[in-house]
Amino acid sequence: YSLSAKNPKAYVTQTGTSMSAPFVSGVIASYYSPYPEAHPMRIKSALIDYAQSIKKTDRNAQGYGLLLKDIIF
């Protein structure tokens, strides 16, 4: 969900990589900051391992699911 540009008191649902990329990048930056020696594959593995499936669909249709930042750290 994100804030609506038309109504700042409302949230709207948006999807796609244009919406997910900034969130995932922020989580990666939060993880990488205290662990600059972390290998990129370790970070990728943590993201995949701790993503919670949203619904029973093919991962190619929904990605790996909901990113649980608090569990990763």
Side-chain angles (χ1 to χ4, degrees):
Y1 294 100
S2 63
L3 287 174
S4 169
K6 294 180 182 179
N7 181 356
K9 294 182 180 181
Y11 288 92
V12 295
T13 301
Q14 297 182 351
T15 62
T17 56
S18 295
M19 286 303 300
S20 62
F23 293 105
V24 173
S25 297
V27 170
I28 291 170
S30 295
Y31 181 85
Y32 187 72
S33 180
Y35 305 106
E37 71 284 353
H39 191 277
M41 289 305 295
R42 172 64 189 110
I43 295 171
K44 178 182 178 181
S45 182
L47 292 172
I48 291 170
D49 290 346
Y50 293 104
Q52 179 182 7
S53 182
I54 297 171
K55 54 188 171 185
K56 295 180 181 182
T57 60
D58 179 28
R59 289 194 182 222
N60 290 324
Q62 74 161 10
Y64 279 88
L66 179 64
L67 185 57
L68 302 173
K69 176 191 163 287
D70 294 336
I71 293 176
I72 293 173
F73 303 110

